[in-house]
Amino acid sequence: MAEHVEHIESQTEIEQGVRLRGFVVGSLLVLWINFWITYAEYVVHASRMNLSHFPVALFASFVVLIGSAGLLRKLSGRFHLTGADFSVALAMGMVGAMVPTSGLMGFFLGVIATPFYFANPENKWAEYFHPHIPSWLAPRDDGQALTWFFDGPPQAVEIPWVIWLIPIAWWLVFIGAVIAVSIGLAVMLRKPWSENERLVYPLLGVAGDLLGGKDGKDSLFQKKIFWIGV
């Protein structure tokens, strides 16, 4: 009985540790790939790193993360990551990689700024549309704030963040609601799809092959043919 209780307690500690480490690693992974994707598109003007079913920025970072797991484990036991940790990090990365640039933010800010920036006497948007757009829904071009957003502000002028705060706050409420509904649908569909119909998810097979089985056994990193391909 005592051994059973001790096993349950140790298992609980492991699960709590997995949740914490997985969340921390996943958060760092999301921050990194958001920086990488944004920098690649807006600064380097390179390929879009998140326009694929398995975003390239996430895949490359995930491969490096798994490949360096052994080295981190040797440096300190605190850096030991289990398959559950990697799974949590991957799930967070899948969602986080969809947010920057063409996933959401690249369109979102431009769309809510469009009604007032592109208004002119010819299209008469100021007459037909502007009276029906609340101030909390879209920023105004006060002091050429939207002009500077699209064309860039003068070097000596600070970005007028204040005009964006209220619209972005209200839009985040809507985006949060969409995410909550999506999570609810995923929870409802997971059991019938995964357990009853036993649908396969080929996209996750790539990550599964990288992770391998228990304790990393049968991982691609342990196969010579993988390294020959690399």
Side-chain angles (χ1 to χ4, degrees), residues 15-64:
E15 290 176 354
Q16 291 176 347
V18 164
R19 293 173 184 173
L20 179 60
R21 288 194 300 269
F23 177 77
V24 171
V25 173
S27 299
L28 294 176
L29 182 64
V30 168
L31 289 174
W32 160 246
I33 60 180
N34 272 258
F35 166 77
W36 186 7
I37 293 171
T38 304
Y39 187 84
E41 182 161 344
Y42 294 129
V43 179
V44 182
H45 301 294
S47 300
R48 293 181 172 178
M49 306 294 288
N50 61 342
L51 284 185
S52 59
H53 294 315
F54 201 133
V56 176
L58 172 62
F59 176 74
S61 302
F62 193 62
V63 169
V64 172

Side-chain angles (χ1 to χ4, degrees), residues 104-128:
L104 172 63
M105 298 307 299
F107 297 112
F108 167 59
L109 295 178
V111 167
I112 64 175
T114 292
F116 289 88
Y117 174 73
F118 287 101
N120 55 51
E122 287 74 22
N123 57 36
K124 296 184 178 181
W125 285 7
E127 178 181 351
Y128 295 118

